Amino acid sequence: DKLRLEPAAIALIKAFDDAGKPVAASGHGPGTPCDAGLVRNRQVTSWPSLRKDLENAGAHWQDSEVVRDGQLIPRRQPDDLPAFAAAIIDALGATA
């Protein structure tokens, strides 16, 4: 939540998205791409308590271990780490 209030963090996330670089977020982390305006009309997942924030920002929320929509890669919870790591590795390979 503190990161969502940092203008420099929001600017960095926007710059990564603009450059086509992966933006990965875990648990409550998708709130930061949400505040950066990156979730509208995109598929996302998150910790369940963030669902309404994401939907109100125009995201299509789903209860999945990890969702990749372009270079945006959010995950739900700690148990989803293997799938999250694999999605990030795949995204980094695609940008190399």
Side-chain angles (χ1 to χ4, degrees):
D1 277 346
K2 288 183 181 181
L3 196 58
R4 294 175 77 173
L5 300 175
E6 290 295 328
I10 299 298
L12 179 65
I13 290 166
K14 286 180 180 178
F16 264 60
D17 187 64
D18 289 345
K21 295 180 180 181
V23 175
S26 175
H28 287 85
T32 308
C34 178
D35 287 354
L38 305 186
V39 300
R40 178 171 289 297
N41 296 320
R42 293 177 91 174
Q43 302 296 317
V44 300
T45 193
S46 68
W47 191 257
S49 65
L50 214 61
R51 179 179 183 167
K52 277 294 178 206
D53 283 352
L54 292 163
E55 289 177 337
N56 287 339
H60 304 288
W61 190 89
Q62 54 187 279
D63 187 15
S64 299
E65 60 185 0
V66 67
V67 175
R68 181 171 176 196
D69 188 330
Q71 294 301 91
L72 181 61
I73 310 166
R75 78 168 174 152
R76 257 183 335 204
Q77 60 187 353
D79 291 343
D80 303 331
L81 187 57
F84 185 60
I88 292 170
I89 290 167
D90 183 56
L92 291 172
T95 61

